[in-house]
Amino acid sequence: MKPANRNLLLLGIPALLILLAGIFLFLSGELLFRTAQLGMPEAPGSDVGDVEGYAYLLGFFGSGFGQLAALAVQIFAVLLAVYGGVMIALSTAARLVYRLTPGRILAYRIVVGVNLALMLLPVPALLDTFWQSLVDLSPRPGLLLPVLFLALPSAFAIRTTYTRRIGTPEVRTEP
């Protein structure tokens, strides 16, 4: 398998999974919206006492906060899907740029470098949060899975892209 194809898989599969997670989270947010709307109380009749009025207001605010939470979930999902989509676009663009000529290899390395920088962007924050949870004596080992999910393929892609494994064109000298 060509090194460029291997890099496409190493960088494209996590990006595709992130995109799918964003789409799934967006659909879950839609379900949260519907659930919060079902919790909306019916308007009381004309003869309402204090207790019924306060109960209506509490139900109304509860439904509104539920819809606000669903909106926050959907905004995060859109950001996650855009993040995955941009990484897929960069991975595909890098593969399309790749050729065994000096200018094309440089362009390939630049595009892969931008893709890797974007892919590794959340890793320091995740590691900081994990370290802080260890200091607080409430370890959250679930934070290490996304770190490995993003950093491990990146390490192999870096090794392939920025060494001689990517291929160097033969230089011809004319007599």
Side-chain angles (χ1 to χ4, degrees):
M1 177 184 294
K2 286 184 179 179
N5 291 340
R6 187 177 319 117
N7 276 353
L8 177 65
L9 290 175
L10 283 172
L11 299 176
I13 289 174
L16 180 64
L17 292 175
I18 289 170
L19 175 69
L20 291 176
I23 291 170
F24 176 74
L25 202 58
F26 186 83
L27 296 175
S28 297
E30 189 67 33
L31 182 64
L32 286 173
F33 261 125
R34 280 190 246 133
T35 304
Q37 287 173 347
L38 289 176
M40 180 73 88
E42 291 191 25
S46 61
D47 189 24
V48 178
D50 287 344
V51 174
E52 291 91 4
Y54 289 129
Y56 173 75
L57 287 176
L58 285 175
F60 184 74
F61 285 133
S63 175
F65 286 131
Q67 291 181 27
L68 190 61
L71 179 66
V73 166
Q74 284 194 318
I75 288 171
F76 178 73
V78 166
L79 292 174
L80 196 63
V82 167
Y83 175 68
V86 168
M87 286 194 319
I88 287 174
L90 284 172
S91 298
T92 306
R95 180 59 188 104
L96 293 174
V97 165
Y98 178 74
R99 289 271 189 299
L100 283 179
T101 59
R104 289 292 199 98
I105 289 179
L106 177 63
Y108 174 79
R109 287 179 174 164
I110 290 170
V111 173
V112 169
V114 170
N115 191 3
L116 287 168
L118 185 65
M119 189 170 183
L120 293 173
L121 191 64
V123 171
L126 289 170
L127 285 175
D128 182 47
T129 305
F130 175 72
W131 178 254
Q132 193 63 36
S133 72
L134 285 179
V135 169
D136 294 340
L137 298 177
S138 60
R140 296 171 54 191
L143 291 173
L144 289 180
L145 186 63
V147 169
L148 289 175
F149 179 72
L150 294 172
L152 198 59
S154 298
F156 287 111
I158 288 169
R159 183 175 159 218
T160 302
T161 303
Y162 298 107
T163 61
R164 291 191 177 266
R165 294 173 190 255
I166 199 65
T168 54
E170 294 180 354
V171 179
R172 293 175 138 184
T173 56
E174 296 292 326

